[in-house]
Amino acid sequence: MQVFSQDGKLIAQFGEKRRIPISYDEIPQDLIDALVATEDSRYYDHFGFDPIGITRAAVAVIASGSASQGASTITQQLARNFFLSNEKKVMRKIKEIFIAVHIEQLLTKQEIMELYVNKIFLGYRSYGFGAAAQAYFGRNLDELTLSEIAVLAGLPKAPSTMNPIYSVERATQRRNVVLSRMLSEKYITQAEFDEARAEPIISQFHGAEIELSAPYVAEIARAWMVSRYGEEAYESGMRITTTIDSKLQKAGHVAAIKNLLNYDERHGYRGAEKVLWKAGQTAMTNEEIAKHLRREPTYGELRPAVVTSVAEQSATVYVKSYGEQTISWENMNWARKFRTDDRQGAAPKAPSDVVAVGEQVWVRAADLDITPDVSPEEKEAQTEDDQVAEPIAITWRLSQVPNANTAFVAINPENGAVLSLVGGFNFVHSKFNRATQSVRQVGSSIKPFIYAAALDKGMTLASLVNDAPINKWDKSAGTAWRPKTRHRRTQVQRVFASVWHSLRTSWRFVYCVKSAWMRLVIT
């Protein structure tokens, strides 16, 4: 299930299975050759099952006492994937053979190959080679090299343990077996074999290429689809087009988050998130820092970083996915120590007054219009080498997770369509949608209607309103109705009011006692 903006930008993707259907004409010939050579060398000659292969497997079982060789043809595997389970029983195998023979009677070899390529499970929720090419290499099937195709062709045997993300060593060994079979069946030359075998396997998990960050919108769409269609919504391949405008969504996000972070920073710096080591203790290496940061979350614009050195006018930090970066003094001199919501400490005079080596802090791009080139999901499935993203021109700024929060909604007044929606600071940090789920006070909620009515009557920001007090006689009460504005008192005003009330009460008590005593004396 995919969620899109009104201009076709992918917002989110939900589902249990990832599948990219391709036709037979779109299947690279190298992949067909690799599958035939590895899985079923007599694919074009048999009629559903391979008697020679079954005989060979039976001899192997008798000789070794275990099933060391498979005997299932591509057609049999297709029958099992569509109609049967993976249980290892003789009756299941017999059913598999009969179904495979029937499939061969109904479909051509090309149609069987097309179904097989699109149906088989290949690990990481990928079903079919089109989805697997995107998951493991981030490219379309027709863009892969012979070596990469051989890696995918080797996955049907054990997709969970022979994939290059789980084990590069096992994937390399299986790839070499596939290439050897292709060479033996004369599908490739010796030169092609040597070149493909020498090529290193470079792979990492590639999730859905999200084009527009609007997770709160995606969650609204997901919940609505599930309530209407049930769990089937995840597996039916539905496409939901929302009213969100991608340009307005980006502008709304930048405006809401930039103002929230600036507001929070004006109230002072609350200090480091963690202290990994102190002065005098053994410092962590960059490799250890990178490994530690991989386990730390990323909240949209905010990225975890570790301070590695502090100079007179700057600090060096190791940023998650970006390696060593520099924060200049002008991008951290805002960090006056937080005291209360209304008070901050003295202005810092040097970076050492703000950060210290070994502290884990939060950083962000100084210009929030620049988004670092790692996806919102942060590509958590990075390799153990912690591949650092290609550096781009980013000026980093010290920041912090805000204590306050925000929400933003832009609605088309002509038809009520929601054009932009930001439900909070960050969806990973908090999935509570403050735009739709929080309860507003009536006094604040009524204001847009009053302002809208005023605008509808022709009033503008320059219009003057008579603010004279209202004085209207109320016959039923016998008094004049005089509404007044209730001014909020400061803490100091409340203290003085309390003291004055106590003094007045005490004075009245003393006056009453004195009056009673005088009456008693006179009597």
Side-chain angles (χ1 to χ4, degrees), residues 293 296-306 318-322 360-365 371-376 378 394 396-397 399:
L293 291 179
E296 297 298 311
T298 297
Y299 298 139
E301 284 70 18
L302 297 190
R303 298 177 176 278
V306 176
Y318 192 100
V319 183
K320 179 180 181 181
S321 299
Y322 283 85
Q360 180 181 320
V361 297
W362 293 99
V363 298
R364 65 175 174 88
T371 301
D373 60 352
V374 179
S375 67
E378 193 55 25
I394 299 177
W396 296 95
R397 177 182 176 87
S399 191

Side-chain angles (χ1 to χ4, degrees), residues 71 286 468:
N286 283 354

Side-chain angles (χ1 to χ4, degrees), residues 83-308:
F83 304 109
L84 302 171
S85 65
N86 289 322
E87 59 179 354
K88 295 182 179 181
K89 293 183 178 180
V90 175
M91 185 54 66
R92 194 270 296 170
K93 197 71 175 179
I94 294 173
K95 291 179 180 178
E96 182 182 288
I97 292 174
F98 276 101
I99 295 174
V101 172
H102 191 55
I103 290 175
E104 290 275 354
Q105 293 172 349
L106 297 176
L107 304 176
T108 65
K109 292 290 186 179
Q110 289 77 11
E111 290 172 332
I112 294 172
M113 181 61 72
E114 180 179 325
L115 288 173
Y116 178 81
V117 166
N118 285 296
K119 177 67 176 178
I120 191 165
F121 173 65
L122 297 171
Y124 280 87
R125 296 190 179 183
S126 298
Y127 289 78
F129 285 87
Q134 286 288 345
Y136 293 113
F137 300 109
R139 301 198 302 278
N140 295 328
L141 198 56
D142 58 358
E143 298 173 337
L144 301 185
T145 65
L146 175 60
S147 172
E148 293 167 338
I149 287 177
V151 171
L152 298 183
L155 292 179
K157 183 177 182 180
S160 298
T161 59
M162 288 187 174
N163 69 73
I165 297 177
Y166 179 84
S167 174
V168 175
E169 182 180 354
R170 290 186 180 183
T172 302
Q173 293 174 353
R174 183 59 180 166
R175 178 203 64 181
N176 294 342
V177 170
V178 174
L179 292 173
S180 297
R181 290 293 304 147
M182 294 180 73
L183 180 63
S184 300
E185 297 293 327
K186 295 183 172 52
Y187 287 122
I188 59 174
T189 64
Q190 184 66 46
E192 291 174 323
F193 171 81
D194 294 337
E195 182 182 356
R197 197 174 189 278
E199 181 179 314
I201 297 177
I202 301 175
S203 174
Q204 67 180 52
F205 180 73
H206 295 78
E209 294 295 332
I210 304 301
E211 300 174 283
L212 177 63
S213 179
Y216 291 98
V217 175
E219 174 56 23
I220 294 173
R222 185 205 64 80
W224 183 82
M225 289 293 291
V226 171
S227 66
R228 183 167 183 176
Y229 298 102
E231 295 300 316
E232 181 187 351
Y234 292 121
E235 302 176 356
S236 57
M238 293 186 182
R239 295 165 60 93
I240 304 103
T241 301
T242 67
T243 58
I244 296 296
D245 181 282
S246 62
K247 293 183 179 178
L248 295 181
Q249 177 65 26
K250 291 177 182 177
H253 174 82
V254 170
I257 304 306
K258 178 184 288 187
N259 280 282
L260 174 63
L261 291 175
N262 290 340
Y263 169 84
D264 186 76
E265 290 173 4
R266 287 197 298 271
H267 285 73
Y269 182 55
R270 292 183 292 276
E273 184 75 10
K274 298 177 183 177
V275 178
L276 302 183
W277 73 86
K278 296 182 179 180
Q281 297 178 339
T282 303
M284 297 172 65
T285 64
N286 283 354
E287 290 74 16
E288 292 173 332
I289 294 174
K291 186 176 181 180
H292 168 77
L293 291 179
R294 276 201 301 271
R295 299 189 295 267
E296 297 298 311
T298 297
Y299 298 139
E301 284 70 18
L302 297 190
R303 298 177 176 278
V306 176
V307 182
T308 56

Side-chain angles (χ1 to χ4, degrees), residues 469-483:
I470 298 174
N471 192 333
K472 187 176 182 180
W473 181 258
D474 187 348
K475 293 183 180 179
S476 61
T479 58
W481 179 58
R482 298 184 182 90

Side-chain angles (χ1 to χ4, degrees), residues 373-387:
D373 60 352
V374 179
S375 67
E377 292 79 8
E378 193 55 25
K379 298 182 179 178
E380 295 294 350
Q382 292 187 24
T383 63
E384 288 300 318
D385 295 331
D386 187 52
Q387 295 178 352

